[in-house]
Amino acid sequence: MLNSRIVFRADGNSNIGLGHVSRCLALYDILKKSYKEVIFAIRNSDLKITQTVNSQCTVYLIPDSLSQEEELDILCKKLLREDDHLVLDGYHFKTEYQKVVKQNVSKLIVVDDEANWHIVGDLVINHGGSTLKKKYSIEPYTKLLLGLSFCLIRKEFLEAACDKLMQKKESSLLICMGGSDTPNNSLKLLKSVAKLNIFNSITIITGSAYLHSLSLNHFIEQNAEKDISHLRNLNPEQLVSIIKNTEVCIASASTISLEIASVHAGLIIGISASNQIALHDTLIESGCAVSLNNINNLSEDQIAILIRKFISQDTVNEILKNQRVHFDGKSAERIIHAINSL
C-alpha cells in the first residue's frame, strides 16, 4: 500500500551549494513510487534550482523573508499533515527545529553528514557516516543508516554500478567539483594538470550554480592546443557515459564522488568544505579513492605533484576493485526497506 505523502525540506544556491537538494532529489527518485504525493519545500534557492526541483515534484516555496520561527509556523499550520513522512536536509534544521516538526508528522527522516547536534528523527541517513557512528547523539528509537551501503545517488548511477567495465579512453581525465564550486577549484585543478602533460584529453564539468565560467573558459581558450572541454548542466545519462569512458576523475568529496565511484573509475578526491570530511574519510578508508586532502590549501604545483604520484595503473586497478565491492547498486533497496520498517 502506498504511503500518503512525503515532504522534503532542503535549500540550494551558489553560496551554500547544491548538495542538500541533490541528495533529496536522489532520495525522491528512490522513494517516489512508494508515495501518493511528493512535495519539496524550498526557500532562498536559485531560480534554476527551483525549476529543476519543480520539473520532478510539487514545489512549496517558503518566503525568504521569514524567520525560522515563522517558517515553522507556516509549515506546521499550512503544509504538514499528521500522516506525512518528512525529510530534512540542511544545517539549520537542528534539534529544536526537529522537535517542532516531528510533532506534526508521522515519521521524520534526517539526511545528515556531520553529526553535530542531537537528532530526534526516526531515521538518519549519512552515506559518508561510517566514521561518525560513535559521535551521533540520538533518541533510543532512532535508526542510523551510515556508510556507502546507503549512498544517496540517482538511479542512473545505481544501475551503472552493476554494468561491466568498458574500455576507457587512454590518458583521459575528468574534473568535477560539484554543482557550485564556490572557491573555483575547477580552474586551479585544470591549471595543475595542464602543467603535467600526462593527459591526452581533459573534461571539466560544472553545474548550474557555478559562477566562474568566464575565467575557466578564458584559460581553455589560452590553451587551445590542448584537448580540453568544458561541459555544463549534464543530465545523469550524459554524466554516466563520460565517467564510463574516463580513466581518472578528480572530484570534491561530495555526492559527485559517490556517483563516479558507482560507475567505477580511478578517483582522486579533495576536500573543499568542512562538511565533506566524513565522506572523504569513508571513501579513503574503503580504498575507493585517493586523496588530495584540503584542495583550498594547496598550490597548483603541490596539486600537480600529488596527481603525478597517484597516476599509476596499479593504483587505478586497486581503486576499481574496491569500488566494485562497496558500490553494488543496492543502496536504494536498503533505504526503502529501512523506511518501510519504521
Side-chain angles (χ1 to χ4, degrees):
M1 185 176 70
L2 291 178
N3 296 299
S4 178
R5 293 198 318 175
I6 185 166
V7 179
F8 292 90
R9 176 71 189 91
D11 301 316
N13 54 52
S14 56
N15 291 321
I16 66 173
L18 309 183
H20 305 297
V21 172
S22 296
R23 290 187 302 208
C24 283
L25 287 178
L27 186 56
Y28 154 78
D29 209 27
I30 290 170
L31 297 175
K32 60 185 178 183
K33 294 182 180 179
S34 300
Y35 293 86
K36 295 177 182 178
E37 186 179 1
V38 179
I39 295 174
F40 204 113
I42 193 168
R43 67 182 287 179
N44 193 28
S45 293
D46 297 342
L47 178 60
K48 288 183 179 179
I49 297 167
T50 302
Q51 290 173 337
T52 298
V53 175
N54 195 39
S55 68
Q56 301 184 55
C57 50
T58 302
V59 169
Y60 185 90
L61 287 175
I62 300 171
D64 297 344
S65 59
L66 298 184
S67 67
Q68 188 168 90
E69 183 179 351
E70 291 169 330
E71 174 185 319
L72 284 168
D73 188 59
I74 285 181
L75 290 180
C76 295
K77 290 181 178 178
K78 295 186 177 181
L79 177 63
L80 299 177
R81 302 172 184 169
E82 62 180 11
D83 59 345
D84 282 344
H85 287 183
L86 174 63
V87 178
L88 299 179
D89 189 341
Y91 304 126
H92 44 306
F93 306 132
K94 298 181 180 180
T95 308
E96 291 308 312
Y97 188 105
Q98 294 175 34
K99 286 181 178 179
V100 173
V101 293
K102 189 169 182 1
Q103 296 174 1
N104 292 269
V105 297
S106 171
K107 299 296 179 183
L108 176 61
I109 301 163
V110 178
V111 180
D112 182 56
D113 51 25
E114 292 189 312
N116 279 343
W117 45 78
H118 184 75
I119 293 177
V120 301
D122 300 281
L123 187 71
V124 178
I125 305 174
N126 183 346
H127 51 207
S130 59
T131 61
L132 295 178
K133 186 173 182 178
K134 293 181 180 179
K135 185 181 176 183
Y136 269 104
S137 171
I138 57 175
E139 294 293 316
Y141 55 78
T142 305
K143 295 181 180 179
L144 295 174
L145 303 185
L146 308 180
L148 301 178
S149 294
F150 304 99
C151 60
L152 289 172
I153 55 177
R154 292 168 286 184
K155 64 178 181 179
E156 292 84 358
F157 299 93
L158 292 173
E159 292 167 355
C162 303
D163 293 343
K164 291 183 179 179
L165 283 175
M166 60 185 292
Q167 185 68 35
K168 295 178 179 288
K169 187 177 179 181
E170 186 177 355
S171 299
S172 54
L173 175 71
L174 168 65
I175 297 172
C176 188
M177 299 305 294
S180 58
D181 185 19
T182 303
N184 201 16
N185 284 318
S186 297
L187 180 57
K188 182 194 284 191
L189 288 164
L190 178 57
K191 290 180 176 179
S192 299
V193 298
K195 296 177 181 180
L196 294 174
N197 290 316
I198 58 176
F199 296 104
N200 294 335
S201 64
I202 302 171
T203 302
I204 305 97
I205 296 176
T206 59
S208 60
Y210 180 69
L211 301 179
H212 309 288
S213 289
L214 190 63
S215 59
L216 181 64
N217 291 336
H218 179 66
F219 179 83
I220 294 173
E221 290 169 4
Q222 287 183 318
N223 292 267
E225 75 281 2
K226 300 180 183 294
D227 184 3
I228 305 173
S229 58
H230 175 205
L231 306 176
R232 297 196 67 184
N233 302 329
L234 299 189
N235 62 40
E237 292 86 357
Q238 292 170 320
L239 188 49
V240 166
S241 178
I242 290 173
I243 297 169
K244 281 185 174 182
N245 284 282
T246 303
E247 273 194 337
V248 177
C249 303
I250 304 176
S252 57
S254 57
T255 300
I256 182 59
S257 61
L258 295 175
E259 293 178 338
I260 292 169
S262 189
V263 179
H264 310 310
L267 180 56
I268 302 172
I269 60 173
I271 299 168
S272 58
S274 61
N275 59 0
Q276 298 173 359
I277 294 174
L279 179 54
H280 167 275
D281 293 348
T282 295
L283 284 168
I284 298 305
E285 285 189 7
S286 66
C288 293
V290 291
S291 174
L292 292 174
N293 290 308
N294 192 323
I295 301 177
N296 299 331
N297 297 335
L298 296 176
S299 68
E300 293 169 16
D301 289 338
Q302 289 173 320
I303 291 173
I305 291 170
L306 288 171
I307 291 173
R308 185 181 290 278
K309 175 184 174 182
F310 292 144
I311 301 304
S312 75
Q313 196 58 55
D314 287 344
T315 299
V316 171
N317 288 341
E318 184 66 19
I319 289 171
L320 292 174
K321 184 183 75 173
N322 292 326
Q323 288 174 352
R324 281 289 187 185
V325 172
H326 293 282
F327 292 85
D328 58 6
K330 297 180 180 179
S331 61
E333 298 172 25
R334 299 184 186 102
I335 292 169
I336 291 172
H337 176 74
I339 291 176
N340 288 339
S341 301
L342 291 177

